[in-house]
Amino acid sequence: MMQHIILCGGSGTRLWPLSNQQTPKQLLTLFDGYSLLQLAFRRNRFACSKVVAIVNEQQAAIVTEQLEQAGAAAPVCIAEPVGRNTAAAIALAAFTADPETILLITPADHLIGTPDRYAMAIETAGILAAGNHIVTIGLVPTYPETGFGYISYSGHDVLHFVEKPDRPVAEAMLAAGGFLWNSGIFCCKARIMLQELQQHAPAIYEAAAIAAAEWKSTGVLSKATMEAIPSDSIDYAVLEKSNIVKVVPTKMDWSDVGSYEALADALSHHYQYRNHQAVFIESDPKKNMVIGKDKLVALVGVENMVVVNTASALLIMQRGRGQDIKQLHTWVKENRPELL
């Protein structure tokens, strides 16, 4: 059995105001009463005997509560007083695990609609990881996405990683074939991850070793100890430099729920979400999305709208403009930071 490492970072800024610093998107219970975090745990428990969450210390209590509600027995939370990106989080998990344990590392905020294909990919990845490889899950692209990194591959071999491309490059890669979206899901033995960190990112390895020793001794991480770890993603720190990385291609139904359009699509196609505080007059409920509970929201004669009604803010947006939330979030951060 593997050990499930859930990376709970990320603030879901493109889903503001629904997602905020106190309750980021991975903790919103919108999916048949479950959160993305809980779905991530449930999806992987077939392969994992233990779950460890790497989490912002402000959310440690709610993450523990949600994991227990989802059926986790004695979940472990490593609470970070300050985030230092995925390389530091994974290093901490690896230092606190048995060296030969295979770690299945997943983000907390992905939505996967084909559990059978996902399970097959994880089983294959586990076999490759047992052979002392770092294994990533690659998704067969369905359109020229510019917001994801890509992997050039042949069979299970990784040829090279590609940074987030512009539209022409993404279209060319899709037409050429031989490229996968980088899902951010991977597995390896704890020992192998530490070996590659020590070789390719020694500063992260050494500082994380000190932090892990502190956590194992006291159960907490100090801010000074965490800030001493260089901030870098695991992709830059290890995967793009290592020569022992393999990939498992899959065509599973996957979303990072990174926009209101993606959220609306997920809720309409996979989950029974209905807002009983919304009324539609001469408007199609299937072409509009309303989220919010504190007051009645009425849509009259409008289509393709997203309405998010929270205690702190009201968002009214035309569907298809989800990327503009970044601009809105920047404005709020500069002018009304208390709303974040």
Side-chain angles (χ1 to χ4, degrees), residues 51-258:
V51 59
V52 177
I54 315 297
V55 59
N56 183 301
E57 66 179 7
Q58 293 178 326
Q59 295 149 10
I62 188 172
V63 165
T64 300
E65 179 183 357
Q66 285 200 1
L67 288 173
E68 289 175 343
Q69 289 173 346
V76 175
C77 274
I78 299 178
E80 298 177 321
V82 59
R84 302 304 286 164
N85 215 318
T86 54
I90 291 166
L92 289 172
F95 272 118
T96 56
D98 181 274
E100 295 303 313
T101 296
I102 294 178
L103 309 178
L104 173 55
I105 303 162
T106 77
D109 58 356
H110 288 180
L111 189 62
I112 295 172
T114 45
D116 52 342
R117 293 183 182 181
Y118 178 79
M120 289 176 61
I122 295 303
E123 289 172 355
T124 301
I127 293 170
L128 292 170
N132 296 331
H133 292 287
I134 297 176
V135 188
T136 184
I137 304 298
L139 305 165
V140 176
T142 55
Y143 61 92
E145 172 62 52
T146 60
F148 303 150
Y150 286 70
I151 300 169
S152 173
Y153 78 107
S154 176
H156 291 305
D157 293 330
V158 173
L159 303 181
H160 61 89
F161 288 84
V162 181
E163 297 297 320
K164 295 177 182 178
D166 58 23
R167 181 84 182 185
V169 172
E171 290 175 346
M173 289 191 296
L174 189 66
F179 291 89
L180 302 165
W181 287 337
N182 186 356
S183 72
I185 302 169
F186 53 97
C187 66
C188 59
K189 291 179 181 178
R191 172 178 59 83
I192 296 299
M193 176 56 70
L194 293 176
Q195 166 191 300
E196 295 300 284
L197 276 165
Q198 188 174 31
Q199 178 179 349
H200 300 293
I204 294 175
Y205 174 90
E206 292 168 7
I210 295 171
E214 178 184 64
W215 184 82
K216 287 190 284 187
S217 174
T218 67
V220 296
L221 292 166
S222 67
K223 185 176 180 180
T225 302
M226 279 301 300
E227 287 180 335
I229 306 176
S231 179
D232 204 355
S233 73
I234 195 65
D235 298 76
Y236 292 148
V238 173
L239 270 66
E240 294 183 7
K241 301 173 183 176
S242 174
N243 61 4
I244 61 168
V245 180
K246 297 290 185 180
V247 65
V248 176
T250 179
K251 292 183 177 180
M252 65 186 179
D253 182 5
W254 171 90
S255 171
D256 67 346
V257 198

Side-chain angles (χ1 to χ4, degrees), residues 4-17:
H4 188 192
I5 308 300
I6 308 182
L7 305 179
C8 298
S11 57
T13 56
R14 287 179 291 173
L15 292 179
W16 185 87

Side-chain angles (χ1 to χ4, degrees), residues 11-16 25 256 258-260 322-323 325-326 329:
S11 57
T13 56
R14 287 179 291 173
L15 292 179
W16 185 87
K25 68 173 180 178
D256 67 346
S259 68
Y260 277 112
Q323 294 303 316
I325 296 295
K326 291 182 180 179
H329 190 270

